[in-house]
Amino acid sequence: MNLTGTLIIGAIDVIGTEGSLRALDPDTGHEIDPPFSLGGIAEVDRAARLADEAFESYSQTTPSLRAAFLERIAANLDALRSELALRASMETGLPAASLELEALKTATQLRQFAQVVRSGDFQRVAIDPAQPERLPRPRMDHRMHKVALGPVVIFGASNFPILYSVVGGDTASALAAGCPVILKAHNAHPGASELEARAVRDAVRESGFHEGVFSLLRGPGNEIGEALVTHPLVKAVTFTGSQGGGMALFRAAQSREEPIPVFAEMTSVNPTFLLPGAVAGRGAEIGAGFIERMLVNVGQACLKPAIAIAVDGQGLAGLRAAMTKMVVATEARTMLTPGIFRAYSAGLTRMRDHGARRIAEGKAPTGQWHGQACLFETSGSTFLTQPALSEEVFGPSALLVVVASVDEMVRVARSLRGQLTATIHLDNSDSPTASRLIPILERRTGRLIANAFSHPQEVSHAAIHTGPFPATTDSRFTSVGMTSIDRFLRPVCYQGFPEALLPEALRADNPLKLTRLVDGESACPDSP
């Protein structure tokens, strides 16, 4: 597939009004052809109006048609998997083999959402039939289901150019809900974004849907982001990135005449609590596993385990030695962008300036934007008095916090802000300590893990990716897993409506064969 460098607004390739950019090869620092067009307010308005025009017809599509659409996107993505991985590798420095796996996971996720749509359970249908004889007053007929919010703006992430980008979980769940999508592509991988966008647009055409179901925009600076978030036809926003970027979008959305939700996933250090029994019995194994997972994607992952907390005692020396050995053996690798590399370097300086001691470093960088692996150590008392040590350093570094006692470990847990995950490594003897930590960590995270690591994550009905602020802007919703569709839905109740005017999901004969809650009890499709 040839890259055109145009914006994709509905069915039309558009040359933007705000100049152009080229992708940067982070390995060499050289620009990559072709130039990619940049849009501004005019292009935002055009895409938003098309999305609004598409909303009524697309949101009313049957579950089977919408599910087939998601499966078409997945098939189109499968067809260009190798080409997409090669282009994404050129633009990010990530291995093409891992990006092919990322594309495969993305297609699988689209097919999972197709299953969710076909089942119809996401509509959460509830029916309370009329009770005209009820005293002291009759009850009217009430029927509720969930409907799509409207056009959604999705900001592609920098660190996963496929799985959290144009056809990632945000796009899949929004389209599954019945919401047209305006995708703001990340400027770090414009070629990969165009390839993905064309796979979606082709599926829109193949499905016979309104062209406004999907558009892709790029733009310079923050102006296009603000224009997207403040456009009156946009009804929700998703974002994955820095806390500063996420909060800027959140504030802009809340200052609108009609405020809208911004579901931003921002920052997390994913603390890992290593309890004494586990460290004594398998400290070296845990230490090696921690560093292995920390180094995934050159440490550029929101689920990177970044802080390990262990009690000074038996097994600690083996834990530290295993962590050090792995870090020292690690080759410096290219980071995603020059900006991310500079932020990583600043983060390492911040760690040193606030009392963390560097105890190991990887092999020396040989490239301009190579991230060198680093392992820091500090005491529990220092960690508790230096809040900067609990801030995320996006890159291949980790901090070992050595606490003097279990009580100090508990104080460290209480000091933490909201996180995407929190992990406990424990043996049977550690159950009393774990029982103290669990209720503390439950208040501070969306996912608790025992005897594993925060990365990788499953995409399933039970898996979630959320947490209290500043991990996300709304911990009631997840950006990963099948329930992420709930972000783009709202309930609507129909009271006393004639049968012929009811949505199919609410009709007495249940033509969609949905499981529904009738008078408070679950009624399966075959129930009378």
Side-chain angles (χ1 to χ4, degrees), residues 206-224:
E206 292 158 3
S207 302
F209 293 157
H210 189 292
E211 63 175 312
V213 167
F214 179 82
S215 293
L216 176 136
L217 302 177
R218 287 179 299 273
N222 299 323
E223 293 82 3
I224 192 169

Side-chain angles (χ1 to χ4, degrees), residues 270 272 274 282-301 303-309 318-331 333 344 359-363 372-377 395-401 423 425 452-456:
N270 306 300
T272 303
L274 312 178
R282 46 193 172 91
E285 175 189 341
I286 295 171
F290 179 92
I291 297 299
E292 178 192 3
R293 303 320 302 170
M294 180 273 283
L295 292 171
V296 170
N297 274 23
V298 200
Q300 299 163 118
L303 290 176
K304 179 191 83 170
I307 296 180
I309 304 101
L319 170 81
R320 184 190 288 117
M323 296 172 83
T324 299
K325 180 180 179 181
M326 287 202 67
V327 168
V328 168
T330 300
E331 299 276 357
R333 287 175 51 197
Y344 176 62
I359 62 170
E361 58 186 16
K363 295 183 179 179
Q372 184 180 25
C374 293
L375 177 63
F376 292 89
E377 183 175 324
S397 75
L399 174 64
L400 174 62
V401 180
T423 295
H425 282 266
F453 296 97
S454 51
H455 189 277

Side-chain angles (χ1 to χ4, degrees), residues 191-269:
S193 295
E194 182 182 326
L195 290 171
E196 296 170 56
R198 293 188 181 281
V200 181
R201 186 172 71 178
D202 287 349
V204 173
R205 185 191 67 251
E206 292 158 3
S207 302
F209 293 157
H210 189 292
E211 63 175 312
V213 167
F214 179 82
S215 293
L216 176 136
L217 302 177
R218 287 179 299 273
N222 299 323
E223 293 82 3
I224 192 169
E226 183 174 349
L228 284 163
V229 172
T230 57
H231 196 287
L233 296 178
V234 170
K235 300 304 179 185
V237 174
T238 76
F239 172 83
T240 300
S242 69
Q243 184 176 343
M247 291 310 298
L249 297 177
F250 180 84
R251 285 189 287 268
Q254 299 312 302
S255 66
R256 291 172 35 140
E257 184 175 347
E258 177 200 354
I260 59 172
V262 173
F263 302 106
E265 186 261 284
M266 299 180 294
T267 182
S268 182
V269 296

Side-chain angles (χ1 to χ4, degrees), residues 243 247 266-267 417-419 444 467-475:
Q243 184 176 343
M247 291 310 298
M266 299 180 294
T267 182
R417 299 194 298 168
Q419 307 292 330
R444 289 162 173 81
F469 184 85
T472 71
T473 48
D474 194 333
S475 62

